[in-house]
Amino acid sequence: MTPALRRIADYLASRRRRELIDPAEVEPSLLPHLFVLSIEPDRRLLVRLTGTALDRAFGRSVKGHYMEEFLHGHHSADVLQSFHDCAASHGACWMRQVVRIKERPPRFVEGVVFYIEPALLYGGLMVGEVADLHAPTTFEGREI
């Protein structure tokens, strides 16, 4: 886990209820990497908030969209399942994948997701370039 993502995970792990989370307590350099999803009654995941680093990574704002609408690629089902598992178990998970995004070098996407009362998923996401231009797409995830 990247050091910045570890700091996000440590913060969220210590605050498992919405009223305990205060953006003013979060390191300013981490705020652009945060996201908030609501777990809708039909179990879809609605993006409530994304930091500016995530908007840049996606090439647009995904706020107000369901995750099921914009995830794509070889491992999107695995990613979505990990989010749903976190929502169902009220747990936390770490994920990392290598993705190829339209005519760009391969990128790694690493994230943490925490269930936060009531019915929210808070997390952080880091995106960076992969040194090997021929790196295969991969996915790994686990509970934390």
Side-chain angles (χ1 to χ4, degrees):
M1 187 179 305
T2 64
L5 200 57
R6 168 53 61 199
R7 293 193 305 278
I8 292 170
D10 290 345
Y11 179 81
L12 293 174
S14 68
R15 291 159 178 84
R16 300 304 296 261
R17 295 196 52 80
R18 183 177 181 185
E19 64 269 11
L20 299 175
I21 296 174
D22 180 359
E25 295 177 346
V26 177
E27 214 177 297
S29 66
L30 301 177
L31 291 172
H33 301 280
L34 297 179
F35 63 84
V36 178
L37 310 174
S38 63
I39 305 164
E40 300 297 296
D42 63 2
R43 293 185 21 125
R44 291 190 302 162
L45 302 172
L46 181 64
V47 180
R48 294 287 183 185
L49 173 86
T50 58
T52 55
L54 303 181
D55 292 344
R56 275 193 306 274
F58 287 115
R60 65 185 175 108
S61 174
V62 294
K63 181 180 173 186
H65 293 272
Y66 290 99
M67 285 195 57
E68 295 83 354
E69 293 174 24
F70 66 86
L71 285 181
H72 63 281
H74 292 98
H75 299 286
S76 59
D78 297 322
V79 172
L80 194 55
Q81 186 61 53
S82 292
F83 277 95
H84 282 289
D85 290 348
C86 180
S89 72
H90 295 189
C93 70
W94 166 87
M95 294 176 268
R96 187 175 198 279
Q97 65 176 326
V98 173
V99 297
R100 294 185 178 279
I101 303 170
K102 296 180 187 176
E103 301 176 17
R104 292 195 227 167
R107 302 206 180 257
F108 78 84
V109 179
E110 182 178 23
V112 292
V113 183
F114 286 79
Y115 178 85
I116 303 292
E117 293 284 343
L120 297 165
L121 296 177
Y122 275 60
L125 195 68
M126 301 290 168
V127 179
E129 290 186 18
V130 174
D132 179 1
L133 293 178
H134 303 291
T137 59
T138 60
F139 173 80
E140 57 182 313
R142 66 175 181 266
E143 291 181 22
I144 54 173

